[in-house]
């Protein structure tokens, strides 16, 4: 509470007027009016403050009012003067950063926090200041944890802090509140986290772990219980579903859908790793995995869920769909079905401790749940196309069709692009290496295709390449990813040829008006190229471990990655 609010409250409770206070404290009525309205605040231990408090003491004695405390007013004033020195501009910038990063709908947050419609919007723009910024920040932080970031793991990722710094939800809210008020470090973009996880993922390392854990799944005893409750029950039900599926003779696909909170599985790192290992053992058995993602989740929940599925996507034998569902639904549900087993899960939204999980092997029930989940698929859209070496021709057809389409392209590249190099420079690189004649033919064919594709696109559309460029005095690693060839190859070359290639790349930009080159000193990624065509599609291309291309055409994800690049460009231009 502010000084003027406590002053007005005391007068109201004593049923006294401002005039009575002015007379009792020997102060001009206009001075009292400014204090009561909040237009002015007396200085600590000042003569004016003591007169105000003397007047209140006289009135409280006269009215036999016991609620007056001189010390209370001192404390309120001390806190208010601390707030007066509060850095509102930093708070405003942090609030805007948080809202932009998590794509928060301000109107919805305002309504949920019971503020007047334009209150938060005016704080964002700097037209208004919250009376108690720490209280306001606490309410915003609690709202974020409830509606946008499902668990404390997400808050840790967002703030970029270590695990032991935030151990429970209360500490998560406090950490976000403190960052809003005083934080100087930028938030970690959840989209950037997702892309870095793809960049760093190594399928060979992951499969090695799966080989080690496979036997333990087979030897673990099956539980005869079929109904489970709460989060502990969820873990037992999920493990039972995987074990029963592994043990069955059925080779039918394993299909998964859930709009239950993602932290149920992914909030417990140990269980999450165990669960992912089990899902990958289903792939190793030869089952095709089908996943339906709920796109109505918050951005953070959606990306966290997709991040955990990365190993499964990389291993292949995978189809993914997306489905929109209203978040206003009071219930959350899930179905997992394989040829011989079904798992049904459900809860009232927000009451996960009372969730129920039912595992069944009864043929008629498995058939019923199979029909239900296939009905869901019929309402869903394909989330992404995955291109591996076995569908290389299909990938080439996609690129050929795309080069005819108008629309701005953006690429984030870990090194200089192959197609800006002259054929003479490519021949010099080949002469420096011991390549097989078969690889040289494939490389030259790929080079000419890339060059033709880019030249065709630049005839009708802009292309912007954000490229990691090394300083000419400190050239260390010179390579070009060859993700389009598949097979995990990279083209390495000398520092002298790198300098020549860099000059050719700059000349290429100068001679093509639709080609925009943005040079960065540090690569955003090492084993990942990101390509975007307006908001129509995103392509994530890994060069090795494994060589794979994900083409996502879902509007929400396309818009999210596009906005991430826009925000980063705006930040770099300010710096």
């Amino acid at each position: 509470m502010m000084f003027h609010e406590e002053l007005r409250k005391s007068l109201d409770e004593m049923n006294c007027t401002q005039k009575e206070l002015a007379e009792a404290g020997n102060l001009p009525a206009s001075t009292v009016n400014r204090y009561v309205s909040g237009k002015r605040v007396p200085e600590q231990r000042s003569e004016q403050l003591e007169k105000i408090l003397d007047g209140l003491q006289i009135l409280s004695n006269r009215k036999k009012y016991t609620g007056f405390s001189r010390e209370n007013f001192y404390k309120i004033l001390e806190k208010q003067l601390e707030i007066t020195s509060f850095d509102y501009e930093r708070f405003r910038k942090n609030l805007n950063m948080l809202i932009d990063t998590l794509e928060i709908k301000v109107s919805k947050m305002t309504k949920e926090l019971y503020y007047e419609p334009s209150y938060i919007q005016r704080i964002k723009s700097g037209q208004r200041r919250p009376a108690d910024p720490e209280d306001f920040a606490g309410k915003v932080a609690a709202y974020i944890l409830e509606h946008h970031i499902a668990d404390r793991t997400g808050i840790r990722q967002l703030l970029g802090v270590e695990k032991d710094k935030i151990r429970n939800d209360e500490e998560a809210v406090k950490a976000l509140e403190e960052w809003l008020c005083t934080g100087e470090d930028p938030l970690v973009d959840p989209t950037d986290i997702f892309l870095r996880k793809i960049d760093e993922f190594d399928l060979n390392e992951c499969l090695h772990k799966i080989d080690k854990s496979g036997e333990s799944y087979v030897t673990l005893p099956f539980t005869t219980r079929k109904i489970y409750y709460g989060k502990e029950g969820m873990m037992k039900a999920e493990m039972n579903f995987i074990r029963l599926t592994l043990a069955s003779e059925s080779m039918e696909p394993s299909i998964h859908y859930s709009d239950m909170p993602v932290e149920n599985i992914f909030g417990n790192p140990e269980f999450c790793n165990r669960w992912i290992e089990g899902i990958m053992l289903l792939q190793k058995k030869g089952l095709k995995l089908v996943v339906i993602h709920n796109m109505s989740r918050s951005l953070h929940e959606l990306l966290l869920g997709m991040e955990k599925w990365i190993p499964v996507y990389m291993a292949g034998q995978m189809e993914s769909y997306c489905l929109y569902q209203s978040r206003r639904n009071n219930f959350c549900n899930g179905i997992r079905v394989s040829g011989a087993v079904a798992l049904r899960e459900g809860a009232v939204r927000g009451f996960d401790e009372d969730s129920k999980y039912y595992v069944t092997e009864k043929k008629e029930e498995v058939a019923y749940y199979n029909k239900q989940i296939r009905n869901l698929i019929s309402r869903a859209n394909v989330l992404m196309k995955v291109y591996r070496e076995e569908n290389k021709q299909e990938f080439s057809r996609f690129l050929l069709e795309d080069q005819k389409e108008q629309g701005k392209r953006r690429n984030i590249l870990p090194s200089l692009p192959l197609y800006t190099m002259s054929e003479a420079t490519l021949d010099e690189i080949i002469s420096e290496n011991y390549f097989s004649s078969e690889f040289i033919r494939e490389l030259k064919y790929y080079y000419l295709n890339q060059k033709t594709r880019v030249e065709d696109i630049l005839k009708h559309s802009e292309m912007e390449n954000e490229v990691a460029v090394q300083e000419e005095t400190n050239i260390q690693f010179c390579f070009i990813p060859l993700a389009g060839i598949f097979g995990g190859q990279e083209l390495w070359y000398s520092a002298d040829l790198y300098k020549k290639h860099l000059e050719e790349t700059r000349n290429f930009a100068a001679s093509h008006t639709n080609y925009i080159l943005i040079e960065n000193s540090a690569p955003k990624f090492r084993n990942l190229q990101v390509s975007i065509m307006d908001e129509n599609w995103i392509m994530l291309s890994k060069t090795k471990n494994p060589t794979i291309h994900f083409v996502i055409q879902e509007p929400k994800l396309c818009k999210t990655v596009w906005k991430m690049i826009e925000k980063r460009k705006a930040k770099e231009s300010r710096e």
Side-chain angles (χ1 to χ4, degrees), residues 466-485:
E466 185 179 335
V467 181
V469 174
Q470 301 184 55
E471 294 180 14
E472 294 189 31
T473 56
N474 188 32
I475 297 173
Q476 295 179 342
F477 303 105
C478 311
F479 71 96
I480 300 172
L482 302 175
I485 291 180

Side-chain angles (χ1 to χ4, degrees), residues 41-70:
V41 180
E43 294 180 9
Q44 286 180 298
R45 308 295 176 179
S46 65
E47 182 182 354
Q48 298 285 58
L49 173 62
E50 296 306 320
K51 284 186 175 183
I52 283 280
L53 298 182
D54 287 343
L56 286 172
Q57 186 70 67
I58 291 169
L59 292 176
S60 65
N61 293 338
R62 187 184 300 165
K63 298 280 185 174
K64 298 182 180 179
Y65 173 66
T66 59
F68 171 72
S69 166
R70 188 178 287 261

Side-chain angles (χ1 to χ4, degrees), residues 86-285:
F86 184 82
D87 190 342
Y88 281 96
E89 183 58 21
R90 181 182 299 283
F91 176 84
R92 186 186 72 82
K93 287 180 178 178
N94 285 351
L95 179 64
N96 280 317
M97 189 190 305
L98 183 67
I99 289 170
D100 289 345
T101 299
L102 297 181
E103 298 186 351
I104 298 167
K105 292 182 179 178
V106 175
S107 58
K108 182 180 177 182
M109 180 166 70
T110 304
K111 185 177 179 180
E112 290 283 340
L113 297 180
Y114 300 103
Y115 290 118
E116 59 186 78
S118 61
Y119 181 72
I120 296 179
Q121 201 64 53
R122 293 204 299 273
I123 292 174
K124 278 180 83 260
S125 64
Q127 296 175 314
R128 182 166 182 171
R129 294 178 173 181
D132 188 339
E134 291 179 356
D135 178 68
F136 176 76
K139 289 177 180 177
V140 170
Y143 173 83
I144 298 302
L145 191 64
E146 181 178 356
H147 295 275
H148 285 269
I149 296 182
D151 62 355
R152 56 187 177 273
T153 303
I155 297 288
R156 285 198 298 262
Q157 286 185 341
L158 186 71
L159 300 179
V161 300
E162 297 299 323
K163 183 176 180 179
D164 59 352
K165 300 289 185 183
I166 300 176
R167 294 162 295 184
N168 53 53
D169 289 351
E170 186 179 341
E171 290 182 359
V173 170
K174 189 64 179 174
L176 188 55
E177 176 191 328
E178 289 176 357
W179 177 86
L180 270 168
C181 294
T182 60
E184 297 183 10
D185 297 326
L187 293 173
V188 180
D189 194 311
T191 312
D192 197 46
I193 294 173
F194 174 65
L195 294 176
R196 289 191 184 282
K197 291 287 185 182
I198 296 177
D199 179 41
E200 295 164 3
F201 179 77
D202 187 321
L203 182 61
N204 294 330
E205 184 181 317
C206 183
L207 292 176
H208 180 65
K209 290 179 182 177
I210 300 303
D211 289 337
K212 284 188 172 182
S213 66
E215 290 185 8
S216 63
Y217 268 90
V218 177
T219 56
L220 278 169
F222 295 107
T223 58
T224 56
R225 190 177 178 187
K226 301 297 183 182
I227 298 177
Y228 308 83
Y229 298 96
K231 290 187 178 180
E232 287 296 321
M234 176 275 299
M235 291 188 278
K236 292 175 183 176
E238 292 284 357
M239 290 294 100
N240 212 17
F241 172 81
I242 292 172
R243 290 170 194 154
L244 290 168
T245 302
L246 285 171
S248 75
E249 295 180 359
S250 172
M251 296 302 292
E252 290 292 310
S254 181
I255 310 175
H256 302 252
Y257 169 78
S258 179
D259 58 27
M260 302 284 278
V262 295
E263 77 271 17
N264 282 10
I265 288 180
F266 303 136
N268 181 327
E270 184 179 348
F271 172 71
C272 173
N273 292 337
R274 193 83 175 118
W275 183 81
I276 289 293
E277 287 173 2
I279 293 294
M280 294 189 73
L281 283 171
L282 299 184
Q283 288 179 304
K284 188 176 179 182
K285 178 184 174 181

Side-chain angles (χ1 to χ4, degrees), residues 437-454:
S437 57
E438 182 181 350
F439 177 74
I440 292 172
R441 281 195 302 273
E442 189 173 21
L443 175 60
K444 287 202 166 186
Y445 179 77
Y446 177 63
Y447 165 77
L448 292 172
N449 270 353
Q450 286 277 294
K451 208 164 185 67
T452 301
R453 169 177 161 75
V454 171

